Amino acid sequence: MISKKWNFVVMMAAVFALAGCASTSTTSTGGASSSPASSTAASSAPSTAKPAGGSSVLDEIKSRGKLVVGVKYDTKLFGLKNPAGGEVEGFDVDMAKALAKEILGDEKKIELKEVTSKTRIPMLDNKEIDMIVATMTITEERKKQVEFSDVYFKAGQSLLVKKGSSIKSVADVKKGTKVLAVKGATSVANIKAKVPEATVLEFDNYQDAFSALKAGQGDTLTTDNAILYGMMAQDPNFVVVGEPFTDEPYGIAMKKGETALQTAVNDSLKKLQSSGEYAKIYKKWIGEAPSK
């Protein structure tokens, strides 16, 4: 009798243990299930997931007291490392500092990290940076990967050539024309769509592409006109030609789902516009007042 009673106790203990495991499994997966029943069961238990529209990144920024921003180091007028003092300077850099002041109360509460067109989204996804302020065009495809702010700069794709070049506009780019561009930039797909018979050579960054143009490795370099004007300022032997053949609205990018940070950035941009600070930064680097 003792043996049978003991067996019964062991059997019941196993049943309750299995029931407990099943309950735990349902709770842990309920949040990810699309089943209405699972969602109802999950809603009765406390959730550790961040609420919809919430932003742990914004909380982290405020907690650490520092905004980590990805900017370019090779793009004159927007983000270029000054070889003399080692400081990174440009329109995007000043915009990033202005955002730090709006969000944290001090423009010095910022850390700048170098990004390129190729590395910026992976660095954002890996949480190496909080946001990207780096001549990044808003596109429908990129909207699937990141959250964008409102437009903070309007550019258009153009061509840079050596003075005296026979290329005067995109209409002069034909089969056999060597066009230099940068990996990960929208300008690559744009020029291929516009002139599919042209030869497009891609480089890791703008300085490498510009050096290749100066060395005669290509006939023209294409990207946003604002970036090309910076190259022209570096070397007056090169000029921007033709009218822009695309619209390139720049946005500040944040990790997908970080809508609270997105709202904070958009609110900051509105304040910078209304206070006149945006116009001040724009004129400092672009040389004229922003268009209305």
Side-chain angles (χ1 to χ4, degrees), residues 46-280:
S47 174
T48 56
K50 67 180 182 181
S55 174
S56 61
V57 170
L58 181 58
D59 293 337
E60 288 170 13
I61 291 168
K62 292 180 177 180
S63 177
R64 81 168 85 98
K66 181 174 66 175
L67 181 65
V68 184
V69 183
V71 297
K72 288 181 176 175
Y73 280 31
D74 66 341
T75 308
K76 190 174 177 64
L77 300 184
F78 284 85
L80 183 67
K81 190 170 185 178
N82 189 326
E87 294 294 318
V88 188
E89 303 167 336
F91 177 83
D92 281 345
V93 174
D94 282 1
M95 285 298 296
K97 290 178 179 178
L99 289 173
K101 187 175 182 179
E102 288 294 329
I103 295 171
L104 296 173
D106 187 348
E107 69 170 28
K108 294 181 180 179
K109 291 183 177 180
I110 192 170
E111 179 181 350
L112 301 175
K113 288 191 176 183
E114 181 179 12
V115 299
T116 65
S117 297
K118 184 179 179 181
T119 65
R120 56 194 174 190
I121 292 180
M123 288 178 67
L124 185 66
D125 287 340
N126 292 336
K127 298 189 73 173
E128 296 175 57
I129 53 178
D130 300 319
M131 64 179 67
I132 301 166
V133 189
T135 65
M136 190 169 181
T137 301
I138 300 170
T139 67
E140 292 304 314
E141 187 62 31
R142 285 174 176 168
K143 284 180 181 179
K144 299 174 185 176
Q145 299 175 282
V146 302
E147 301 293 351
F148 273 114
S149 71
D150 296 334
V151 176
Y152 76 97
F153 190 92
K154 293 179 181 179
Q157 188 169 337
S158 294
L159 301 171
L160 182 74
V161 299
K162 190 171 184 178
K163 282 183 176 177
S165 170
S166 60
I167 297 174
K168 305 300 180 185
S169 73
V170 72
D172 298 317
V173 177
K174 305 180 185 301
K175 183 178 180 179
T177 303
K178 290 183 179 179
V179 183
L180 311 182
V182 171
K183 295 175 183 177
T186 54
S187 51
V188 175
N190 290 340
I191 194 65
K192 286 181 177 180
K194 193 78 174 177
V195 193
E197 62 271 25
T199 300
V200 180
L201 305 177
E202 299 179 47
F203 295 82
D204 286 331
N205 57 62
Y206 290 109
Q207 286 303 311
D208 286 351
F210 191 27
S211 295
L213 182 66
K214 289 190 283 187
Q217 295 177 30
D219 303 302
T220 181
L221 192 159
T222 188
T223 188
D224 305 340
N225 54 358
I227 298 173
L228 295 179
Y229 286 132
M231 295 178 185
M232 190 172 71
Q234 285 180 279
D235 190 332
N237 291 311
F238 293 82
V239 292
V240 178
V241 296
E243 292 295 320
F245 53 90
T246 67
D247 291 321
E248 304 293 332
Y250 293 170
I252 294 162
M254 293 141 280
K255 194 173 173 66
K256 194 67 180 173
E258 297 297 340
T259 53
L261 180 57
Q262 180 188 44
T263 298
V265 169
N266 283 338
D267 288 345
S268 297
L269 289 175
K270 289 182 178 70
K271 290 179 182 177
L272 292 171
Q273 289 271 8
S274 61
S275 69
E277 184 63 20
Y278 174 84
K280 180 180 176 182

Side-chain angles (χ1 to χ4, degrees), residues 7 17 21 45 90 145:
N7 287 340
C21 289
Q145 299 175 282

